C-alpha cells in the first residue's frame, strides 16, 4: 500500500472530461489548449475511481509489477494524507521506482484526464535549466504510477497505455536519461511488443551505442507496421553489421525508390558498403540511427563537429551534457602563457566563456590555496554575471571540493558556501559560512558578504526560523540593509529572496517587509524572464486538484530552458510554492536555493 503525503492542500477529485473535448485538445496540441484542459478539470463533475495496492518496484527492476485486485477507493476531498491502492492497473503502472525507493506517490496521475499525462509528457522541453526541477521531472517519468481510469471507471485502454509509455521513454532520452529510458523499456514485459514502444526503445538504444538491441527488435516488426521505413533503415544497418552486403544493397535501393531515407542515410549506407566515407554532409543533423552508422564507419568517418565552448555551456545549462564534460573542455581550451601569468587581469579582456576556461586552467595549476580560491571565485562571478552560475558551478566542483576549509581562506568562504548551499550540501556550506562569520566584526566587506548568505542559512533550516514570525532577527536586518544597498546598485536585492522564502512557507511576511523599506529601494531592478502566466495558472490549479503529475509537468514546461537565477522572482516563487504545497518540500527548497541572488 502506497501512502502519499499531501500536507497542505485540500483534496478535490477531478472530473472525467468527455472524449470529444479530449480529441479537440489532441488536435490542437498547443500549450494553451493543454493548460485550458488542465484548468477545466477543476470544474466538471466528479467521477468515481476505484483503486488497489501496487507492488513496490525496485530501482532499475527488470520485471514489471504484478497487477492486483482493488481494495480501496480514493479518499474524499480534504482528507490530507492519501492512502491509495490500484486495481488491475496493467502496463501503465510500470516504472523503475516507487515512493519507498525515491520515486513519487503512486497516485500522481490518478486525478488527471486519461489522455493528459502522455500529452503533457510529450510537450516537456528537451532541456530543463534547473537541475532540481530536471531531477524531479526524471523521477516523475521513472515512477511506477498508473494512468487514471476512463469513462465508466474502466481501465485505460491499450492505445492510451502505449502512448503514455512511449512518451515516457522518448522524454527520458530527450532529458539526457537514456539509461533510465532503456531500464523502463526492460521492465515492460509484453507491453514492449507494441510497435511505438519498440521504436522508442530502439532509438534510445541507438543513442547510447546499444546497436545489438535495436537489431534484435527490427526483425520482429511486421512490414505493415513500418509506415515510414524506420525499421527497414534499421535492418539495412544491421545487415551491414553482419556482413550481408547484398541484402543491405537491395533494402537500400527499396528505401531509395520509396523516398523513405534521407540523403545522409543513403550516403552512409553506400559508404559502409564500400568501406569508405564519401560525400557525407550535414552530419550535425544526424538522427540516432545515422550516428550509429557514423560510429560503424570508425576512423574513416568524418568527425562530428564539436560544439564550441559557448555551445557546450548551453548544453550543460539545459542538462544535456554533464558538467564534467565542460570541465574537460575548459581544461583543453587554448590559452596563452601570458594570460596564465596574470589570469584575473587577462579574464577581464575576454568574453565570459573564454574567461571561465582561462580561470579554470589557472585554478587547476595554482598550488597556493588562497590564490586558487580567488581564481574560482572570479570564474563563478563571471558565470553569475551571465546568469549561468548554478548550471556551470558543478564544472568547478572538483577544485572547490579539494579546498579544505581554513580561516586563512575567508575571502573564498562566501563563494564556497553559496556553491555548496545551492548544490544541496548545506552541512559543508555552513563550515565555510562560519569561517566568513569570524571576520564580520572587523571587516565591512566580509560582514556584507556574510549577510547575503542569510537566506541560504534560513532556507536550509538552521538559522532564525523561530524569530521570523516576530520580524527579522539581527542577522536578517543586516541582510536586509545589505540587500537594499545592492538593489540600489542594480543587483537583485531583497525582493527575490523574500518571494522565495515566503513561497517555502517560512513565517516571514514578505510583502510587509518590502513595504517597510520601500522608500529605500530606488528604481525597481530588472525582474528577469517572466514565465507564461497561463501555464503557471494551470500548474496551480492542477496542484489544488491533487493532480501532481500534471502540476510537475506544467512547471517544467513553464520554466524550460530558463536558468532559475534569471527568472522573475514572482514567477519562480509560484513554482516553489506549488511544489511546497504538494508535499515536495526538498524539491521546493532545492529550486529556491538555485534561484537565490
Amino acid at each position: 500500500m502506497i501512502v502519499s503525503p499531501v500536507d497542505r492542500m485540500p483534496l478535490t477529485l477531478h472530473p472525467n472530461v468527455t472524449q470529444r473535448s479530449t480529441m479537440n485538445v489532441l488536435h490542437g496540441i498547443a500549450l494553451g489548449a493543454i493548460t485550458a484542459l488542465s484548468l477545466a478539470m477543476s470544474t466538471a463533475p466528479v467521477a468515481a475511481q476505484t483503486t488497489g495496492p501496487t507492488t513496490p518496484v525496485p530501482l532499475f527492476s527488470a520485471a514489471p509489477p504484478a497487477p492486483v485486485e482493488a481494495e480501496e477507493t480514493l479518499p474524499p476531498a480534504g482528507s490530507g494524507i492519501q492512502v491509495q491502492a490500484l486495481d488491475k492497473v496493467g502496463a501503465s503502472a510500470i516504472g523503475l521506482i516507487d515512493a519507498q525507493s525515491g520515486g513519487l506517490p503512486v497516485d500522481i496521475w490518478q486525478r488527471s484526464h486519461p489522455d493528459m499525462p502522455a500529452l503533457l509528457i510529450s510537450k516537456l522541453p528537451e532541456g530543463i535549466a534547473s537541475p532540481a526541477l530536471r531531477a524531479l521531472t526524471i523521477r516523475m517519468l521513472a515512477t511506477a504510477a498508473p494512468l487514471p481510469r476512463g469513462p465508466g471507471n474502466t481501465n485505460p485502454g491499450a492505445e492510451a497505455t502505449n502512448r503514455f509509455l512511449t512518451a515516457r521513454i522518448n522524454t527520458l532520452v530527450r532529458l539526457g536519461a537514456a539509461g533510465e529510458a532503456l531500464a523502463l523499456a526492460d521492465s515492460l514485459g509484453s507491453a514492449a511488443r507494441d510497435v511505438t514502444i519498440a521504436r522508442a526503445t530502439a532509438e534510445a538504444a541507438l543513442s547510447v551505442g546499444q546497436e545489438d538491441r535495436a537489431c534484435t527488435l527490427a526483425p520482429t516488426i511486421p512490414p505493415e507496421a513500418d509506415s515510414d521505413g524506420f525499421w527497414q533503415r534499421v535492418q539495412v544497418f544491421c545487415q551491414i553489421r553482419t556482413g550481408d552486403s547484398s541484402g543491405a544493397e537491395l533494402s537500400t535501393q527499396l528505401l531509395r525508390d520509396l523516398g523513405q531515407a534521407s540523403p545522409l542515410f543513403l550516403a552512409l549506407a553506400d559508404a559502409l558498403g564500400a568501406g569508405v566515407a564519401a560525400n557525407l554532409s550535414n552530419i550535425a543533423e544526424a538522427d540516432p540511427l545515422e550516428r550509429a552508422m557514423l560510429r560503424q564507419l570508425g576512423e574513416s568517418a568524418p568527425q562530428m563537429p564539436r560544439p564550441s565552448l559557448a555551445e557546450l555551456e548551453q548544453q550543460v545549462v539545459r542538462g544535456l551534457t554533464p558538467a564534467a564534460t565542460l570541465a574537460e573542455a575548459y581544461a583543453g581550451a587554448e590559452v596563452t602563457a601570458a594570460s596564465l601569468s596574470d589570469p584575473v587581469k587577462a579574464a577581464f579582456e575576454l568574453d565570459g566563456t573564454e574567461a571561465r576556461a582561462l580561470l579554470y586552467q589557472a585554478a587547476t595549476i595554482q598550488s597556493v590555496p588562497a590564490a586558487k580560491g580567488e581564481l574560482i571565485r572570479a570564474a563563478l562571478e563571471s558565470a553569475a554575471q551571465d546568469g549561468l552560475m548554478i548550471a556551470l558551478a558543478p564544472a568547478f566542483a572538483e577544485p572547490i571540493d579539494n579546498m579544505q576549509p581554513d580561516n586563512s581562506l575567508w575571502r573564498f568562504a562566501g563563494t564556497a558556501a553559496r556553491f555548496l548551499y545551492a548544490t544541496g550540501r548545506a552541512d559543508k556550506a555552513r563550515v565555510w559560512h562560519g569561517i566568513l562569520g569570524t571576520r564580520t566584526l572587523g571587516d565591512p566587506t566580509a560582514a556584507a558578504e556574510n549577510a547575503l548568505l542569510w537566506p541560504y542559512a534560513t532556507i536550509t533550516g538552521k538559522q532564525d526560523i523561530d524569530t521570523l514570525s516576530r520580524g527579522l532577527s539581527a542577522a536578517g536586518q543586516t541582510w536586509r540593509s545589505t540587500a537594499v544597498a545592492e538593489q540600489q546598485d542594480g543587483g537583485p536585492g531583497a525582493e527575490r529572496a523574500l518571494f522565495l522564502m515566503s513561497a517555502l512557507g517560512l513565517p516571514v511576511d514578505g510583502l510587509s517587509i518590502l513595504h517597510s523599506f520601500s522608500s529605500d529601494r530606488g528604481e525597481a531592478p530588472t525582474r528577469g524572464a517572466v514565465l507564461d502566466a497561463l501555464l503557471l495558472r494551470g500548474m496551480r490549479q492542477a496542484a489544488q486538484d491533487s493532480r501532481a503529475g500534471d502540476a510537475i509537468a506544467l512547471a517544467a514546461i513553464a520554466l524550460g530552458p530558463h536558468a532559475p537565477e534569471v527568472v522573475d522572482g514572482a514567477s519562480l516563487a509560484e513554482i516553489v510554492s506549488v511544489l511546497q504545497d504538494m508535499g515536495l518540500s526538498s524539491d521546493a527548497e532545492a529550486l529556491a536555493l538555485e534561484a537565490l541572488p
Side-chain angles (χ1 to χ4, degrees), residues 428-488:
K428 192 169 183 178
R430 280 188 279 274
V431 176
W432 286 103
H433 194 167
I435 289 173
L436 186 61
T438 64
R439 303 283 302 192
T440 56
L441 293 178
D443 191 315
T445 301
E449 188 164 4
N450 182 69
L452 292 175
L453 290 174
W454 177 77
Y456 292 91
T458 301
I459 287 173
T460 55
K462 298 298 182 182
Q463 183 171 312
D464 296 313
I465 294 297
D466 60 341
T467 66
L468 284 172
S469 60
R470 301 191 298 272
L472 291 178
S473 66
Q477 291 172 7
T478 303
W479 163 76
R480 187 181 73 181
S481 61
T482 304
V484 169
E486 185 183 77
Q487 186 165 280
Q488 289 173 336

Coordinates of all heavy atoms in Angstrom, one line a residue, residues 428-488:
K428 N 28.3 21.1 4.8 CA 29.6 21.6 4.4 C 29.6 23.1 4.1 O 30.6 23.8 4.4 CB 30.1 20.9 3.2 CG 31.6 21.1 2.9 CD 32.2 20.1 1.8 CE 33.7 20.3 1.6 NZ 34.2 19.4 0.6
A429 N 28.5 23.6 3.6 CA 28.4 25.1 3.4 C 28.5 25.8 4.7 O 29.1 26.9 4.7 CB 27.0 25.4 2.7
R430 N 27.9 25.3 5.7 CA 27.9 26.0 7.0 C 29.3 26.1 7.6 O 29.6 27.0 8.4 CB 26.9 25.4 8.0 CG 25.5 25.8 7.7 CD 24.5 25.3 8.8 NE 24.1 24.0 8.6 CZ 23.1 23.6 7.8 NH1 22.4 24.5 7.1 NH2 22.8 22.3 7.7
V431 N 30.2 25.2 7.3 CA 31.5 25.3 7.7 C 32.2 26.5 7.1 O 32.8 27.3 7.8 CB 32.3 24.0 7.4 CG1 33.8 24.1 7.8 CG2 31.7 22.8 8.1
W432 N 32.1 26.6 5.8 CA 32.6 27.8 5.1 C 31.9 29.1 5.6 O 32.6 30.1 5.8 CB 32.5 27.7 3.6 CG 33.5 26.7 3.0 CD1 33.2 25.4 2.6 CD2 34.9 27.0 2.7 NE1 34.4 24.9 2.1 CE2 35.4 25.8 2.1 CE3 35.7 28.0 3.0 CZ2 36.7 25.7 1.7 CZ3 37.0 27.9 2.6 CH2 37.5 26.8 2.0
H433 N 30.6 29.0 5.8 CA 29.9 30.2 6.3 C 30.4 30.6 7.6 O 30.5 31.8 7.9 CB 28.4 29.8 6.3 CG 27.4 30.9 6.5 ND1 26.1 30.8 6.3 CD2 27.7 32.3 6.8 CE1 25.5 32.0 6.5 NE2 26.5 32.9 6.8
G434 N 30.7 29.7 8.5 CA 31.2 30.0 9.8 C 32.6 30.7 9.7 O 32.9 31.6 10.5
I435 N 33.4 30.3 8.8 CA 34.7 30.9 8.6 C 34.5 32.4 8.2 O 35.2 33.3 8.7 CB 35.5 30.2 7.5 CG1 36.0 28.8 8.1 CG2 36.7 31.0 7.1 CD1 36.6 27.9 7.0
L436 N 33.6 32.6 7.3 CA 33.3 34.0 6.9 C 32.8 34.8 8.1 O 33.1 36.0 8.3 CB 32.3 34.0 5.8 CG 32.0 35.4 5.1 CD1 33.3 36.0 4.5 CD2 30.9 35.3 4.1
G437 N 32.0 34.2 8.9 CA 31.4 34.9 10.1 C 32.4 35.3 11.1 O 32.2 36.3 11.8
T438 N 33.6 34.7 11.1 CA 34.6 35.1 12.1 C 35.2 36.4 11.7 O 35.9 37.0 12.6 CB 35.7 34.0 12.2 OG1 36.4 33.9 10.9 CG2 35.2 32.7 12.5
R439 N 35.0 36.9 10.5 CA 35.6 38.2 10.1 C 34.6 39.3 10.1 O 35.0 40.4 9.7 CB 36.1 38.0 8.6 CG 37.1 36.9 8.4 CD 38.5 37.2 8.9 NE 39.0 38.4 8.3 CZ 40.3 38.8 8.3 NH1 41.1 38.1 9.1 NH2 40.7 39.9 7.7
T440 N 33.4 39.1 10.5 CA 32.4 40.2 10.3 C 32.6 41.4 11.2 O 32.2 42.5 10.8 CB 31.0 39.6 10.5 OG1 30.9 39.0 11.8 CG2 30.6 38.5 9.5
L441 N 33.2 41.2 12.4 CA 33.3 42.3 13.3 C 34.3 43.4 12.8 O 34.1 44.6 12.9 CB 33.7 41.8 14.7 CG 32.6 41.0 15.4 CD1 33.1 40.6 16.8 CD2 31.3 41.9 15.6
G442 N 35.4 42.9 12.2 CA 36.4 43.9 11.8 C 36.5 44.2 10.4 O 37.4 45.0 10.0
D443 N 35.7 43.6 9.5 CA 35.8 43.8 8.1 C 34.5 44.0 7.4 O 33.7 43.1 7.3 CB 36.5 42.5 7.5 CG 36.9 42.8 6.0 OD1 36.1 43.3 5.2 OD2 38.1 42.4 5.7
P444 N 34.2 45.2 7.0 CA 32.8 45.5 6.4 C 32.5 44.7 5.2 O 31.4 44.3 4.9 CB 32.9 47.0 6.1 CG 34.0 47.5 7.0 CD 35.0 46.4 7.1
T445 N 33.6 44.4 4.4 CA 33.3 43.6 3.2 C 32.9 42.2 3.6 O 32.0 41.6 3.0 CB 34.6 43.5 2.3 OG1 35.0 44.8 2.0 CG2 34.4 42.7 1.1
A446 N 33.6 41.6 4.5 CA 33.2 40.2 5.0 C 31.9 40.2 5.6 O 31.1 39.3 5.4 CB 34.3 39.7 6.0
A447 N 31.5 41.3 6.4 CA 30.2 41.4 7.0 C 29.1 41.5 6.0 O 28.1 40.8 6.1 CB 30.2 42.6 7.9
A448 N 29.3 42.2 4.9 CA 28.3 42.3 3.8 C 28.1 41.0 3.1 O 27.0 40.6 2.9 CB 28.7 43.4 2.8
E449 N 29.2 40.3 2.8 CA 29.1 39.0 2.1 C 28.4 38.0 3.0 O 27.6 37.2 2.6 CB 30.5 38.5 1.7 CG 30.4 37.3 0.8 CD 31.7 37.0 0.0 OE1 32.7 37.8 0.2 OE2 31.7 36.1 -0.8
N450 N 28.8 38.0 4.3 CA 28.2 37.1 5.3 C 26.7 37.4 5.4 O 25.9 36.4 5.5 CB 28.8 37.3 6.6 CG 28.3 36.3 7.7 OD1 28.5 35.1 7.6 ND2 27.6 36.8 8.6
A451 N 26.3 38.6 5.4 CA 24.9 39.0 5.5 C 24.1 38.4 4.3 O 23.0 37.9 4.5 CB 24.7 40.5 5.6
L452 N 24.7 38.4 3.1 CA 24.0 38.0 1.9 C 23.7 36.5 1.9 O 23.0 35.9 1.1 CB 24.7 38.4 0.7 CG 24.7 39.9 0.4 CD1 25.6 40.3 -0.8 CD2 23.3 40.4 0.2
L453 N 24.4 35.7 2.8 CA 24.2 34.3 2.9 C 23.0 34.0 3.9 O 22.7 32.8 4.0 CB 25.5 33.6 3.4 CG 26.7 33.6 2.5 CD1 27.9 33.0 3.1 CD2 26.3 32.7 1.2
W454 N 22.5 35.0 4.5 CA 21.4 34.7 5.5 C 20.2 33.9 4.9 O 19.8 33.0 5.5 CB 20.9 36.0 6.1 CG 19.8 35.9 7.1 CD1 19.8 35.4 8.3 CD2 18.4 36.2 6.8 NE1 18.6 35.4 8.9 CE2 17.7 35.9 8.0 CE3 17.7 36.7 5.7 CZ2 16.3 36.1 8.0 CZ3 16.4 36.8 5.7 CH2 15.7 36.5 6.9
P455 N 19.7 34.3 3.7 CA 18.6 33.5 3.2 C 18.9 32.0 3.0 O 18.1 31.1 3.2 CB 18.3 34.2 1.8 CG 18.8 35.5 2.0 CD 20.0 35.4 2.8
Y456 N 20.2 31.7 2.5 CA 20.6 30.3 2.3 C 20.5 29.6 3.7 O 20.0 28.4 3.7 CB 22.0 30.2 1.8 CG 22.2 30.7 0.4 CD1 22.5 32.1 0.1 CD2 22.1 29.9 -0.7 CE1 22.7 32.5 -1.2 CE2 22.2 30.3 -2.0 CZ 22.6 31.6 -2.2 OH 22.7 32.1 -3.5
A457 N 21.1 30.2 4.7 CA 21.1 29.5 6.0 C 19.6 29.4 6.5 O 19.3 28.4 7.2 CB 21.9 30.3 7.0
T458 N 18.8 30.4 6.3 CA 17.4 30.3 6.8 C 16.6 29.2 6.0 O 15.9 28.4 6.7 CB 16.7 31.7 6.6 OG1 17.5 32.7 7.3 CG2 15.3 31.7 7.1
I459 N 16.8 29.2 4.7 CA 16.0 28.2 3.9 C 16.4 26.7 4.3 O 15.6 25.8 4.3 CB 16.2 28.5 2.4 CG1 15.4 29.7 2.0 CG2 15.8 27.2 1.6 CD1 15.6 30.2 0.6
T460 N 17.7 26.5 4.6 CA 18.1 25.2 4.9 C 17.9 24.8 6.3 O 18.3 23.8 6.8 CB 19.6 25.0 4.6 OG1 20.4 26.0 5.3 CG2 19.9 25.1 3.1
G461 N 17.2 25.8 7.1 CA 16.6 25.4 8.4 C 17.5 25.5 9.6 O 17.2 24.9 10.6
K462 N 18.6 26.2 9.5 CA 19.5 26.2 10.7 C 19.7 27.6 11.3 O 20.5 27.8 12.1 CB 20.9 25.7 10.2 CG 20.9 24.3 9.7 CD 20.4 23.3 10.8 CE 20.4 21.9 10.4 NZ 20.0 21.0 11.4
Q463 N 18.9 28.6 10.8 CA 19.1 29.9 11.3 C 17.8 30.7 11.3 O 17.1 30.8 10.3 CB 20.2 30.7 10.5 CG 20.6 32.0 11.0 CD 21.8 32.6 10.2 OE1 22.7 31.9 10.1 NE2 21.7 33.8 9.8
D464 N 17.5 31.3 12.4 CA 16.5 32.3 12.5 C 15.0 31.9 12.3 O 14.1 32.7 12.2 CB 16.8 33.5 11.6 CG 18.1 34.2 12.0 OD1 18.3 34.5 13.2 OD2 18.9 34.4 11.1
I465 N 14.8 30.6 12.1 CA 13.4 30.2 11.8 C 12.4 30.6 12.9 O 11.3 31.1 12.6 CB 13.3 28.6 11.7 CG1 14.1 28.2 10.4 CG2 11.9 28.2 11.5 CD1 13.6 28.7 9.1
D466 N 12.8 30.5 14.2 CA 11.9 30.8 15.3 C 11.7 32.3 15.4 O 10.8 32.7 16.2 CB 12.4 30.2 16.6 CG 13.8 30.7 17.0 OD1 14.5 31.2 16.1 OD2 14.1 30.6 18.1
T467 N 12.5 33.1 14.8 CA 12.4 34.6 15.0 C 11.7 35.3 13.8 O 11.3 36.4 13.9 CB 13.7 35.2 15.2 OG1 14.5 35.1 14.0 CG2 14.5 34.6 16.3
L468 N 11.5 34.6 12.7 CA 10.9 35.2 11.6 C 9.5 35.8 11.8 O 9.2 36.8 11.3 CB 10.9 34.2 10.4 CG 12.3 34.0 9.7 CD1 12.2 32.9 8.7 CD2 12.8 35.2 9.1
S469 N 8.7 35.0 12.5 CA 7.3 35.4 12.7 C 7.3 36.7 13.5 O 6.2 37.4 13.5 CB 6.5 34.3 13.4 OG 7.1 34.0 14.6
R470 N 8.3 37.0 14.3 CA 8.3 38.2 15.1 C 9.1 39.4 14.4 O 9.4 40.4 15.0 CB 9.0 37.9 16.5 CG 8.2 36.8 17.2 CD 8.7 36.8 18.7 NE 10.1 36.4 18.8 CZ 10.6 35.2 18.8 NH1 9.8 34.2 18.7 NH2 11.9 34.9 18.9
G471 N 9.4 39.2 13.2 CA 10.2 40.1 12.4 C 11.6 39.6 12.2 O 12.0 38.6 12.8
L472 N 12.4 40.3 11.4 CA 13.7 39.9 11.1 C 14.6 39.9 12.3 O 14.6 40.9 13.1 CB 14.3 40.8 10.0 CG 13.7 40.6 8.6 CD1 14.3 41.6 7.7 CD2 13.8 39.2 8.1
S473 N 15.4 38.9 12.5 CA 16.4 38.9 13.5 C 17.5 39.9 13.2 O 17.5 40.5 12.2 CB 17.1 37.5 13.6 OG 17.8 37.2 12.4
A474 N 18.5 40.0 14.1 CA 19.6 40.9 13.9 C 20.4 40.5 12.6 O 20.7 41.4 11.8 CB 20.6 40.9 15.0
A475 N 20.6 39.2 12.4 CA 21.2 38.8 11.1 C 20.4 39.1 9.9 O 20.9 39.6 8.9 CB 21.5 37.3 11.2
G476 N 19.0 38.9 10.1 CA 18.1 39.3 9.0 C 18.1 40.7 8.7 O 18.0 41.1 7.5
Q477 N 18.2 41.6 9.7 CA 18.2 43.0 9.5 C 19.4 43.4 8.8 O 19.4 44.3 7.9 CB 18.0 43.7 10.8 CG 16.7 43.6 11.4 CD 16.6 44.1 12.8 OE1 17.5 44.7 13.3 NE2 15.5 43.8 13.5
T478 N 20.6 42.8 9.1 CA 21.8 43.1 8.4 C 21.7 42.7 6.9 O 22.1 43.4 6.0 CB 23.0 42.4 9.1 OG1 23.1 42.8 10.4 CG2 24.3 42.7 8.4
W479 N 21.1 41.5 6.7 CA 20.9 41.1 5.3 C 20.0 42.1 4.6 O 20.3 42.5 3.4 CB 20.2 39.7 5.3 CG 19.6 39.4 4.0 CD1 20.3 39.0 2.9 CD2 18.2 39.5 3.6 NE1 19.4 38.8 1.8 CE2 18.1 39.1 2.3 CE3 17.1 39.8 4.4 CZ2 16.9 39.1 1.6 CZ3 15.9 39.8 3.7 CH2 15.8 39.4 2.4
R480 N 18.9 42.5 5.2 CA 18.0 43.4 4.5 C 18.7 44.7 4.1 O 18.6 45.1 3.0 CB 16.8 43.8 5.4 CG 15.8 44.6 4.7 CD 14.6 44.9 5.6 NE 15.0 45.9 6.6 CZ 14.1 46.4 7.5 NH1 12.9 45.9 7.7 NH2 14.5 47.3 8.3
S481 N 19.5 45.3 5.0 CA 20.1 46.6 4.7 C 21.2 46.4 3.6 O 21.4 47.2 2.7 CB 20.8 47.2 5.9 OG 21.7 46.3 6.5
T482 N 21.9 45.2 3.6 CA 22.9 44.9 2.6 C 22.2 44.7 1.3 O 22.7 45.2 0.2 CB 23.7 43.7 3.0 OG1 24.3 43.9 4.3 CG2 24.8 43.4 2.0
A483 N 21.1 43.9 1.3 CA 20.4 43.6 0.1 C 19.8 44.9 -0.6 O 19.8 45.0 -1.8 CB 19.3 42.6 0.3
V484 N 19.3 45.8 0.3 CA 18.8 47.0 -0.2 C 19.8 47.8 -1.0 O 19.6 48.4 -2.0 CB 18.1 47.8 0.9 CG1 17.8 49.3 0.4 CG2 16.9 47.2 1.4
A485 N 21.0 47.9 -0.3 CA 22.1 48.7 -0.9 C 22.5 48.0 -2.3 O 22.8 48.7 -3.3 CB 23.3 48.7 0.0
E486 N 22.6 46.7 -2.3 CA 22.9 46.0 -3.5 C 21.9 46.3 -4.6 O 22.1 46.4 -5.8 CB 23.1 44.5 -3.3 CG 23.5 43.7 -4.5 CD 23.6 42.2 -4.2 OE1 22.5 41.6 -4.2 OE2 24.7 41.7 -4.0
Q487 N 20.6 46.3 -4.2 CA 19.5 46.5 -5.1 C 19.6 47.9 -5.7 O 19.4 48.1 -6.9 CB 18.2 46.3 -4.4 CG 16.9 46.4 -5.3 CD 15.7 45.9 -4.5 OE1 15.5 44.7 -4.4 NE2 14.9 46.8 -4.0
Q488 N 20.0 48.9 -4.9 CA 20.1 50.2 -5.4 C 21.2 50.3 -6.4 O 21.2 51.2 -7.3 CB 20.3 51.2 -4.3 CG 19.1 51.4 -3.4 CD 19.4 52.2 -2.2 OE1 20.5 52.3 -1.7 NE2 18.3 52.9 -1.6

